Amino acid sequence: MSLLSWGMFPNIKNKIFNLRDEKSLSLYIETTDEFIPYGNGRSYGDSALSENIVYAKPYNNFLSFDEQNGILNAEAGVLLSEILEAFVSRGWFLRVTPGTKLITLGGAIASDVHGKNHHVEGCFSECVEEFTIMGVDGKIKSCKKGDELFLATCGGMGLTGVILSAKISLKKINSKNINQTTIKTKNLKETFEVFEAHKEKPYSVAWIDCLAKGEEIGKSLLMVGDFADDGNLEYKSKKKLTIPFNFPSFALNTLSVKAFNYLYYAKAKDGISYQKVDIDTFFYPLDAIGDWNKIYGSGGFTQYQFILPKEQSYEGLREILTKISASGKGSFLAVLKLYGKENENYLSFPLEGYSLALDFKIESGLFELLDTLDEVVLKYAGRIYLTKDVRVSKETFEKGYPQIEKFRAYRKEHKMDKKLNSLQSKRVQI
Amino acid sequence: MSYVLIIGAKSDIAKEVARVYAKNGYNLYLAARESLELEDLKQDIEIRSGVEVKLVEFDITAFDTHEEFYTSLHERPLGVIVVAGFMCEQKIAQNDWNKTLQTINVNYTGALSILNIVANDFEKERRGFIVGVSSVAGDRGRKANYIYGSAKAGFSAYLSGLRNRLYESGVSVLSVKPGFVNTKMTQALDLPQNLTAQPQDVAEDIFNAQQRGRNILYTKSIWMFIMLIIKHIPEFIFKKMSI
């Protein structure tokens, strides 16, 4: 069996080692030339792909829970969804969660994921108290905040070892519901104003119509919210609808994207509206459709996500959105988000500013378009998110990450650079 | 809430079945040889679900211990799920009588030994459910896997008869026929991704099918169609094939 990434591109053969216990992993590391850890396969690109894969998902016991302080110790293969299933009804929620709950704990650390509350809570590493990791020498190390191994591993794309377990702190909630405000904006300027006006709210995100042109560039549905206080904690994961097969390639084209965007925007009321929605609807709308990546057909897709520093965000986004709408290649939903302060981890993606994430079907001409978008990102001093990437060049990548040399030196010093590699790490030489 | 007894609790499928039943509020007996090795799973389930988990020592091939094992459970279970299974390479099994015997005893004789006892009890009580994890390999013997397959075929026939017998007393019997599942048992095989289920999915399928009182579950469901075709290939053609 071969494992693909979420974008289903590139399609390469790999040999899988199922992680079940430390002893056999240690033996595997000793006897395998080169490998990369793989969680639940939700990274879009090639960051968890290699000829040899350590499949960490089967390694998934809960180890302990401190009810007083909300500290969970669990093995790295545990999915965030499993944490929610166990703890929401007891009044606990993840302090930081990305837009899917179907990622492993180890993956959340390796990508140092962020959520709709980055501007107040920061990245996933903020809630990681400590973790254990097996290095390329087959030995287990324990690692705390502030250690160099911590700085390199959080956001380090699995390139510093196989994360085995982690202690994370959860946050107290008093409801499974979120009071949501939806604000419809007419253009990018208004979108920015609304973001700024609501930046005290813990959660915010905007769905942006990336095919809008001219005056309407940047028109969005902005959603902000916070947990309700109604004491209703009866949480059950919704039964999901599954896309049974890859859609034929003609199903997704400019027209269908336009139609979708039109309907999506038409659904929301003009101006401001208020809703009470549950955790799954607010945080994980796409998880409701299992295997939604198949919508893009068997050729696969990629997500282009970049971030720009705050002062340059408006100009940069306008320029990029103009290029995208002119190209006619669009994604169903493009996500715009405001970010807070950057952390100290060597390769974490967020910096204070705005990021945009767009899905694109892999087709001819796409990578050329993305190359031209890269130029704009660099012009405005931005960077690209490795977790979503499948094609960025070494040069573009490096310019965005000023701590890259520290990361490289650390890998070299501890002989990780020979043994731990993905297709991506080789391409961008990290 | 009541207990569910899981026989063969060390397997990857059993581990996930245990988690699903616990998530839905059932207490558990996890039965296996050297059951203390399941301490991690017990702890995992207790943290996740807050149910009671008891580890019980059980050897499916020690037939004469089964009666005492069952009667000594401190509370009779509401349901019993047999997940125990043993498979070795066909080449090894056909050349080593002990391996053949082990295949039969774990997959067939041992399962019958414990389920006979359970069935009599449930029938008397007029309540309970029985789930037996068999295999699509039991639907038709193939040269690649027929010793294991024949034991599972026997088990499938047994479950079918048991279902027939217990229908009147309101005890449900579910036969589960997984195809390829990504487990320890299959880790040496090169399985096609589209046809290979994850143990978590199999466990959810089993729970849902059992709760709905279904009779036969193929998981993934595509196996029902695959086996329908395989079962209907005429023998004079089938014997020449390598599938």
Side-chain angles (χ1 to χ4, degrees):
Chain A
M1 190 166 89
S2 278
L3 289 170
L4 292 174
S5 72
W6 188 238
M8 303 190 296
F9 174 90
N11 191 342
I12 67 153
K13 278 239 167 286
N14 42 48
K15 285 200 219 60
I16 300 156
F17 169 80
N18 278 311
L19 174 54
R20 287 204 173 79
D21 63 275
E22 294 158 358
K23 217 170 126 194
S24 60
L25 176 65
S26 176
L27 192 70
Y28 174 86
I29 289 177
E30 196 186 309
T31 53
T32 309
D33 288 341
E34 199 174 73
F35 66 94
I36 192 77
Y38 182 108
N40 196 33
R42 291 282 163 151
S43 292
Y44 285 68
D46 52 359
S47 58
L49 294 181
S50 158
E51 218 170 277
N52 296 305
I53 281 173
V54 170
Y55 184 46
K57 198 177 151 197
Y59 196 69
N60 66 356
N61 282 319
F62 283 36
L63 301 171
S64 66
F65 184 62
D66 170 355
E67 198 86 39
Q68 222 64 46
N69 305 303
I71 310 278
L72 170 69
N73 189 11
E75 289 174 348
V78 163
L79 297 179
L80 300 189
S81 62
E82 298 177 75
I83 297 176
L84 301 184
E85 270 166 22
F87 293 114
V88 169
S89 60
R90 291 186 242 175
W92 299 99
F93 188 67
L94 297 158
R95 273 176 57 192
V96 172
T97 174
T100 172
K101 56 182 173 171
L102 301 175
I103 64 165
T104 59
L105 185 52
I109 295 171
S111 284
D112 202 10
V113 296
H114 55 269
K116 295 177 169 67
N117 59 349
H118 184 273
H119 57 292
V120 286
E121 288 273 3
C123 289
F124 195 80
S125 51
E126 292 296 325
C127 69
V128 178
E129 307 268 311
E130 57 179 282
F131 59 79
T132 61
I133 185 167
M134 190 177 285
V136 289
D137 54 3
K139 297 206 171 76
I140 300 169
K141 293 169 199 70
S142 175
C143 172
K144 281 198 168 58
K145 266 200 176 80
D147 294 350
E148 192 174 16
L149 183 55
F150 191 97
L151 297 175
T153 301
C154 297
M157 308 310 291
L159 294 165
T160 58
V162 181
I163 300 168
L164 293 173
S165 69
K167 268 189 195 168
I168 62 166
S169 63
L170 302 177
K171 81 178 225 177
K172 202 86 198 130
I173 52 171
N174 194 29
S175 174
K176 58 144 193 179
N177 293 317
I178 286 93
N179 290 322
Q180 173 181 287
T181 308
T182 305
I183 305 137
K184 208 169 183 173
T185 67
K186 292 193 190 65
N187 54 40
L188 193 61
K189 190 161 167 285
E190 210 179 298
T191 305
F192 270 55
E193 283 164 7
V194 177
F195 257 122
E196 292 296 332
H198 288 86
K199 71 178 176 204
E200 305 308 320
K201 282 265 174 59
Y203 298 103
S204 65
V205 69
W207 302 104
I208 190 166
D209 181 352
C210 60
L211 291 181
K213 285 184 197 286
E215 289 299 292
E216 289 197 318
I217 278 184
K219 76 171 183 179
S220 300
L221 283 186
L222 206 90
M223 283 153 223
V224 297
D226 194 5
F227 278 94
D229 191 24
D230 56 18
N232 178 359
L233 289 164
E234 247 174 77
Y235 173 77
K236 238 186 164 165
S237 273
K238 287 208 179 81
K239 215 117 191 86
K240 63 186 185 195
L241 183 83
T242 300
I243 307 288
F245 49 80
N246 289 316
F247 278 21
S249 56
F250 59 80
L252 193 87
N253 53 37
T254 314
L255 264 181
S256 59
V257 174
K258 261 193 189 144
F260 178 84
N261 281 344
Y262 177 79
L263 290 172
Y264 194 80
Y265 280 87
K267 204 183 72 172
K269 290 197 194 92
D270 278 335
I272 300 180
S273 55
Y274 303 92
Q275 303 88 22
K276 194 180 218 181
V277 295
D278 65 6
I279 282 171
D280 283 359
T281 309
F282 186 77
F283 291 101
Y284 315 111
L286 284 171
D287 285 346
I289 309 166
D291 298 342
W292 62 262
N293 53 344
K294 291 182 180 167
I295 288 171
Y296 289 90
S298 57
F301 76 114
T302 186
Q303 187 169 89
Y304 187 72
Q305 183 164 7
F306 62 92
I307 189 161
L308 302 176
K310 209 162 185 177
E311 315 76 64
Q312 284 101 311
S313 287
Y314 182 76
E315 279 310 308
L317 277 164
R318 257 198 83 83
E319 205 168 318
I320 285 178
L321 286 167
T322 310
K323 276 188 195 297
I324 292 168
S325 90
S327 80
K329 294 187 199 300
S331 74
F332 273 110
L333 288 172
V335 178
L336 181 67
K337 245 205 66 57
L338 171 66
Y339 290 66
K341 291 236 166 347
E342 184 172 1
N343 65 26
E344 292 181 335
N345 303 328
Y346 296 163
L347 293 187
S348 282
F349 166 71
L351 49 80
E352 191 163 11
Y354 284 86
S355 105
L356 183 67
L358 313 128
D359 293 342
F360 291 99
K361 186 168 81 166
I362 306 263
E363 56 189 349
S364 67
L366 173 67
F367 288 179
E368 288 81 350
L369 170 69
L370 299 184
D371 286 343
T372 66
L373 301 186
D374 281 352
E375 286 168 25
V376 186
V377 171
L378 288 186
K379 183 166 110 190
Y380 292 97
R383 62 170 66 144
I384 307 284
Y385 192 11
L386 287 177
T387 303
K388 312 286 180 76
D389 160 67
V390 73
R391 35 65 54 192
V392 74
S393 73
K394 173 177 175 271
E395 292 70 29
T396 302
F397 163 74
E398 280 177 343
K399 283 185 190 143
Y401 289 83
Q403 300 204 76
I404 179 62
E405 289 311 330
K406 270 195 212 162
F407 186 76
R408 281 181 178 141
Y410 186 77
R411 291 239 303 150
K412 204 162 184 173
E413 184 193 337
H414 294 91
K415 301 189 176 59
M416 297 161 177
D417 54 336
K418 296 281 182 300
K419 232 175 186 156
L420 276 161
N421 269 308
S422 60
L423 297 184
Q424 181 181 62
S425 77
K426 288 184 170 173
R427 175 162 39 83
V428 298
Q429 293 177 25
I430 48 177
Chain B
M1 204 196 232
S2 322
Y3 280 84
V4 170
L5 167 62
I6 299 178
I7 303 279
K10 275 189 193 164
S11 82
D12 289 340
I13 292 179
K15 176 178 168 183
E16 297 302 334
V17 167
R19 284 176 175 167
V20 172
Y21 275 85
K23 188 168 82 183
N24 287 281
Y26 291 88
N27 295 317
L28 300 172
Y29 293 116
L30 301 181
R33 277 191 307 170
E34 287 160 31
S35 58
L36 282 181
E37 287 174 19
L38 287 166
E39 202 57 58
D40 286 354
L41 179 62
K42 170 181 156 77
Q43 194 175 288
D44 168 79
I45 290 174
E46 285 174 345
I47 297 167
R48 283 175 192 248
S49 311
V51 300
E52 251 188 73
V53 181
K54 290 192 192 308
L55 304 181
V56 282
E57 198 59 27
F58 180 78
D59 181 347
I60 199 165
T61 60
F63 316 125
D64 53 358
T65 63
H66 290 183
E67 181 87 51
E68 199 202 326
F69 162 82
Y70 188 72
T71 49
S72 67
L73 294 174
H74 88 289
E75 188 182 311
R76 297 288 166 82
L78 176 68
V80 174
I81 304 172
V82 178
V83 198
F86 173 78
M87 182 173 77
C88 69
E89 266 179 63
Q90 171 66 26
K91 279 247 166 56
I92 297 172
Q94 70 197 26
N95 290 310
D96 179 344
W97 174 245
N98 284 327
K99 291 288 183 208
T100 298
L101 211 55
Q102 197 182 350
T103 307
I104 298 166
N105 284 344
V106 174
N107 295 301
Y108 180 69
T109 325
L112 267 57
S113 163
I114 181 69
L115 284 182
N116 279 348
I117 299 162
V118 171
N120 291 341
D121 181 40
F122 282 8
E123 188 177 41
K124 203 166 69 213
E125 301 284 329
R126 302 187 69 81
R127 58 136 187 85
F129 64 84
I130 291 170
V131 178
V133 178
S134 187
S135 169
V136 296
D139 281 8
R140 190 164 194 179
R142 297 172 302 117
K143 67 178 174 189
N145 204 10
Y146 66 86
I147 291 179
Y148 172 79
S150 64
K152 287 297 193 185
F155 188 36
S156 293
Y158 173 82
L159 291 168
S160 157
L162 201 57
R163 180 160 42 246
N164 194 188
R165 166 189 153 195
L166 295 177
Y167 173 73
E168 248 181 70
S169 49
V171 178
S172 67
V173 178
L174 169 67
S175 315
V176 184
K177 297 183 179 184
F180 301 140
V181 186
N182 182 20
T183 64
K184 273 176 267 187
M185 196 196 252
T186 61
Q187 68 185 0
L189 310 174
D190 187 20
L191 303 176
Q193 190 172 15
N194 286 339
L195 294 179
T196 305
Q198 294 300 330
Q200 290 90 338
D201 302 328
V202 174
E204 290 280 352
D205 282 357
I206 290 175
F207 178 78
N208 291 329
Q210 180 272 313
Q211 293 285 310
R212 286 184 204 145
R214 283 184 53 191
N215 302 317
I216 297 172
L217 167 71
Y218 281 88
T219 177
K220 300 180 160 191
S221 55
I222 181 135
W223 284 97
M224 190 170 76
F225 298 102
I226 295 173
M227 295 321 294
L228 190 72
I229 293 164
I230 290 180
K231 277 193 284 192
H232 285 88
I233 300 171
E235 194 67 21
F236 72 94
I237 298 173
F238 192 79
K239 71 178 182 188
K240 298 175 195 162
M241 294 172 71
S242 287
I243 52 172

